């Protein structure tokens, strides 16, 4: 490959910043701009989005011209996909489960699923820490802090 | 003497059974979590923030500040015992502290850190009590243009003093402000960037953003290079300092306190900068600079005092101007806002109980830290050995319930998951997430002051340069930016942070 890109990390950062700025411009384009004396809701965001795009452009250009002096790859195949997916899944499961299932099962799921993310996962410690965390969160958050959360949700015969 | 009346008021607030209890709990929990490997003050506070919401404002702030010192002290403990600094400001402590531990002087190093921190904390608290009220009075005279300029200066300075790329940090600030502007516009009620999602009408939940970026994102980053860390903890004994040790630490502690108190007020990594500065000064003036890096007690005493003094005085801009100088203070401001208190110069005068109560509790907190930590060191050492693969699922669980309990809303949980992903990507791209958080907190205030300033100036942007105070501050901001972008300075700065 021609070495157009001297520092892939900065090129990616620059492109991302420009894309984000474009997104804000697009989303903010319907907002009334107003005038400087009486700024509308769209005025300041538009200035900021412009600034963000400019900064993104600078980062992009430095990425094209200056070689990187740091190690570490940003290639997608080096990403910790398993950890990313499982930790996110654990949090999302908790969010979906908290109302219908209650605190107990959703906490259990969140802790167990996220423990799968480690390469040093061990079924016994995973199960054990999930159960301990359920007991602990019951004691601290429901008994101790009195959060209005049922241990078991309506789907499981709770209230 | 007005200050003593004020301090007396503060101590009368802080010395109630309830507040001492919360201070104690805060310090205990902060140390407990801060001592766990890989958890610095920011994730610790973000994680424990929700449990303070049910408390009255004074108690909540007292507990949060307690958590802050506790977490910071916990970070030094891990730095000394296993060479794993919990946060960047204890990186320096690890250099000589760990060497001392390897020579069997772990107890001495820990005691030095505790006593140095206590002394520095006491002095810095006193400085806070002396300087905060006049500063708040001065700030009361500020109009919208001055406030706008002050916030710009604060943001720029924090970018200039942080490590890493200045341009990227600036971009993070701007992105943070944009995210902070989401929700209904205060003047017109027009929804901005809400995508017709009803939960976004009040903007992005601050706790979800902070926990996502600093909690969840950080976990994924730690899992990325999950090497088998063999934790070798040295036996801790001999917590008492010898007479000779005392003599050697007095100088570094005094210098560190002075340096830290001053640098802590500056926006940006006050605590980080001061510990680095203190270390290099001690090394320079020492008669035996070759001992540094090989277990010099001065190399622990100076930076530890400096970083604690800086941590304390960084409350000054937060409490008097409502401007956070670091991510921890941004979290504190978030907590104040959630408690229904508008941070700014009015807090000192209109809520003297709150202000002086916090000041007094800082001293109590620092005292409790010494009393608590030296005897309990055995327990902390045991916690240090908890392996990360057991620890992090529990942190995920805590983050989930914590963020849910803020509004009892699952939407915040999903927001946290999203910001976890965003946080990881940012770290991967070497964009510091801390400036993003600062921008997020300051964003709405910045816009409000800008709009008000333009309203009173009839749309003339020259108002910012025609008023002397705001012109000075904007000039300083421009200067700071220019200086760090100069090629020669940039090179030096990179070297300084590498060291």
């Amino acid at each position: 490959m021609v070495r157009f890109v001297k520092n892939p990390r900065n090129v990616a950062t620059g492109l991302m910043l420009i894309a984000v700025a474009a997104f804000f411009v697009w989303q903010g384009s319907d907002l009334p701009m107003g005038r400087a004396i009486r700024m509308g809701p769209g005025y300041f965001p538009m200035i900021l989005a412009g600034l963000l795009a400019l900064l993104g452009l600078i980062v992009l250009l430095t990425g094209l011209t200056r070689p990187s002096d740091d190690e570490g790859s940003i290639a997608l195949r080096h990403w910790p996909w398993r950890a990313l997916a499982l930790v996110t899944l654990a949090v999302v499961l908790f969010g979906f489960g908290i109302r219908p299932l209650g605190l107990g099962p959703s906490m259990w799921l969140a802790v167990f699923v996220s423990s799968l993310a480690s390469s040093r996962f061990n079924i016994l410690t995973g199960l054990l820490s999930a159960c301990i965390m359920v007991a602990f969160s019951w004691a601290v958050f429901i008994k101790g802090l009195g959060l209005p959360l049922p241990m078991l949700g309506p789907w499981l015969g709770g209230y | 003497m007005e200050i003593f009346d004020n301090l007396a008021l503060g101590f009368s607030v802080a010395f109630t059974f309830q507040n001492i209890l919360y201070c104690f709990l805060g310090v205990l929990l902060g140390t407990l979590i801060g001592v766990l490997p890989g958890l610095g003050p920011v994730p610790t506070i973000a994680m424990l923030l929700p449990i303070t919401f049910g408390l009255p404002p004074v108690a909540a702030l007292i507990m949060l500040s307690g958590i802050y010192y506790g977490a910071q002290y916990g970070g030094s403990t891990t730095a000394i015992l296993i060479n794993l600094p919990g946060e960047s400001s204890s990186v320096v402590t690890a250099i000589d502290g760990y060497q001392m531990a390897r020579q069997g002087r772990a107890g001495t190093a820990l005691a030095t850190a505790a006593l140095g921190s206590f002394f520095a904390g006491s002095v810095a608290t006193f400085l806070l009590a002396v300087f905060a009220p006049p500063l708040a009075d001065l700030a009361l005279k500020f109009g919208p243009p001055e406030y706008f300029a002050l916030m710009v200066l604060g943001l720029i300075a924090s970018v200039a003093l942080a490590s890493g790329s200045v341009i990227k940090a600036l971009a993070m600030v701007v992105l943070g402000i944009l995210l902070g502007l989401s929700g209904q516009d205060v003047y017109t009620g027009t929804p901005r960037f809400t995508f017709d999602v009803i939960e976004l009408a009040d903007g992005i939940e601050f706790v979800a953003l902070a926990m996502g970026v600093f909690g969840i994102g950080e976990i994924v980053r730690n899992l990325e290079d999950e090497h088998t860390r063999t934790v070798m903890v040295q036996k801790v004994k001999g917590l008492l300092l010898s007479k000779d040790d005392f003599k050697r630490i007095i100088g570094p502690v005094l210098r560190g306190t002075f340096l830290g108190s001053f640098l802590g007020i500056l926006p940006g990594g006050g605590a980080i900068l001061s510990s680095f500065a203190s270390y290099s000064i001690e090394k320079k003036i020492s008669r035996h600079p070759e001992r540094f890096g090989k277990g010099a007690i001065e190399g622990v005493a100076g930076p530890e005092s400096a970083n604690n003094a800086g941590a304390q005085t960084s409350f000054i801009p937060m409490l008097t101007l409502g401007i956070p100088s670091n991510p921890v203070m941004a979290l504190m401001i978030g907590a104040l806002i959630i408690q229904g208190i508008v941070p700014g110069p009015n807090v000192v005068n209109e809520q003297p109980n709150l202000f002086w109560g916090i000041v007094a509790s800082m001293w109590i907190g620092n005292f409790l830290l010494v009393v608590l930590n030296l005897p309990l060191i055995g327990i902390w050492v045991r916690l240090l050995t908890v392996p990360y693969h057991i620890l992090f699922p529990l942190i995920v669980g805590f983050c989930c319930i914590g963020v849910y309990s803020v509004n009892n809303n699952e939407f915040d949980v999903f927001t946290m998951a999203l910001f976890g992903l965003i946080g990881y990507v940012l770290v991967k791209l070497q964009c510091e997430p801390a400036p993003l958080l600062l921008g997020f907190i300051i964003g709405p205030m910045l816009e409000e002051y800008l709009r008000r300033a333009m309203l009173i100036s009839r749309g003339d942007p020259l108002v910012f340069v025609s008023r002397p105070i705001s012109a000075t501050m904007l000039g300083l901001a421009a200067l700071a930016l220019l200086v760090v972008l100069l090629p020669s300075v940039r090179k030096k700065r990179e070297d300084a942070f590498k060291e």
Side-chain angles (χ1 to χ4, degrees), chain A residues 9-10 12-13 16-17 20-21 23-25 27-28 31-32 36-49 51-52 55-56 58-59 66 69-71 73-75 78-80 83-84 87-88 90-96 98-99 103 107 110-112 114-122 125 129-130 133 136-137 140-141 145 147-149, chain B residues 51 148 165 167-168 170-172 174-175 177-179 181 185 187-188 190-195 216 219-221 223-224 226-229 387-390 392-398 400-402 404-405 407-410 413-414 416-418 420-421 424-431 443 446-447 450-451 454-461 490 494 498:
Chain A
R9 191 194 308 272
N10 278 352
T13 310
M16 182 202 74
L17 292 175
V20 171
F23 176 77
F24 273 103
V25 169
Q27 280 295 318
L31 295 171
I37 179 166
R38 196 175 288 274
M39 292 183 184
Y43 199 101
F44 195 46
M46 211 49 92
I47 298 177
L48 290 171
L51 194 59
L52 189 62
L55 292 167
I58 298 175
V59 177
R66 245 187 262 163
D69 49 358
D70 49 53
E71 278 123 69
S73 161
I74 56 156
H78 293 310
W79 283 38
L84 259 182
V87 171
T88 310
V91 176
V92 171
L93 277 178
F94 182 90
F96 277 118
I98 184 78
R99 269 179 210 277
L103 177 64
M107 179 57 85
V111 175
F112 185 73
S114 52
S115 70
L116 291 170
S118 168
S119 54
R120 305 172 68 194
F121 169 73
N122 165 315
T125 48
S129 46
M133 190 63 192
F136 184 78
S137 55
V140 170
F141 292 98
L145 292 169
L147 290 190
L149 275 173
Chain B
I51 60 174
F148 178 80
S165 156
I167 299 287
K168 281 183 181 175
L170 269 181
M172 286 301 104
V174 175
L175 182 59
I177 300 174
L178 274 168
L179 291 171
L181 293 182
D185 170 38
Y187 283 79
T188 58
T190 322
R192 290 193 283 189
F193 312 119
T194 58
F195 317 107
I216 305 292
I219 285 175
V220 178
R221 220 211 60 67
L223 287 174
E224 187 174 18
E226 197 186 359
H227 45 253
T228 38
R229 203 167 45 211
Y388 195 69
H389 71 276
I390 294 182
F392 84 87
L394 307 182
I395 302 173
V396 174
F398 269 117
C400 286
I401 182 141
Y404 178 79
S405 65
N407 297 322
N408 279 322
N409 192 337
E410 56 267 47
V413 181
F414 301 136
M416 179 177 78
L418 178 69
L421 292 175
Y424 176 74
V425 172
L426 291 180
V427 171
K428 196 86 195 164
L429 295 174
Q430 286 178 351
C431 295
L446 194 67
E447 185 189 29
L450 174 65
R451 282 161 101 169
M454 294 312 267
L455 204 61
I456 55 170
S457 76
R458 308 194 160 274
D460 182 7
R490 187 158 67 187
E494 273 163 17
K498 245 174 228 156

Side-chain angles (χ1 to χ4, degrees), chain B residues 43-304:
Chain B
T44 305
I45 295 174
M47 224 159 72
L48 294 175
L49 199 56
I51 60 174
T52 64
F53 288 165
L55 305 177
V58 182
L61 259 282
I62 285 179
M63 186 166 170
L64 281 172
S65 351
I67 293 170
Y68 179 32
Y69 327 132
Q72 214 172 27
Y73 188 75
S76 324
T77 309
T78 49
I80 290 172
L81 289 177
I82 55 172
N83 199 15
L84 194 83
E87 44 145 355
S88 34
S89 65
S90 40
V91 169
V92 194
T93 311
I95 306 174
D96 277 293
Y98 183 60
Q99 291 305 322
M100 284 181 75
R102 286 187 53 185
Q103 293 159 13
R105 305 200 345 119
T108 315
L110 287 167
T112 305
L115 293 175
S117 297
F118 175 61
F119 176 78
S122 308
V123 172
T125 305
F126 186 71
L127 290 177
L128 172 64
V130 174
F131 287 111
L135 199 60
D137 285 341
L138 180 73
L140 276 176
K141 299 196 182 85
F142 285 7
E146 281 80 16
Y147 259 107
F148 178 80
L150 185 64
M151 286 176 179
V152 171
L153 174 62
L155 286 172
I156 299 281
S158 69
V159 164
L161 294 177
S163 58
S165 156
V166 176
I167 299 287
K168 281 183 181 175
L170 269 181
M172 286 301 104
V173 167
V174 175
L175 182 59
I177 300 174
L178 274 168
L179 291 171
L181 293 182
S182 69
Q184 271 179 359
D185 170 38
V186 268
Y187 283 79
T188 58
T190 322
R192 290 193 283 189
F193 312 119
T194 58
F195 317 107
D196 294 326
V197 178
I198 189 112
E199 282 90 350
L200 281 177
D202 287 331
I204 296 169
E205 173 58 48
F206 151 75
V207 178
L209 181 133
M211 276 199 192
V213 172
F214 290 100
I216 305 292
E218 191 61 28
I219 285 175
V220 178
R221 220 211 60 67
N222 283 335
L223 287 174
E224 187 174 18
D225 42 22
E226 197 186 359
H227 45 253
T228 38
R229 203 167 45 211
T230 42
V231 179
M232 279 289 293
V233 180
Q234 317 287 335
K235 251 214 147 24
V236 179
K237 51 178 193 248
L239 281 171
L240 290 176
L241 294 174
S242 68
K243 226 180 187 170
D244 181 46
D245 289 332
F246 256 116
K247 262 191 214 143
R248 279 164 58 190
I249 68 169
I250 288 175
V253 166
L254 286 174
R255 282 186 291 270
T257 304
F258 175 76
L259 202 67
S261 304
F262 174 69
L263 290 173
I265 306 173
L266 300 180
I272 304 167
L273 201 68
S274 46
S275 57
F276 275 89
S278 163
Y279 189 79
S280 46
I281 287 184
E282 290 312 322
K283 196 171 168 181
K284 229 167 232 154
I285 64 170
S286 167
R287 255 173 281 167
H288 305 282
E290 72 282 352
R291 285 191 310 134
F292 279 78
K294 292 181 191 134
I297 195 169
E298 294 90 339
V300 175
E304 274 301 298

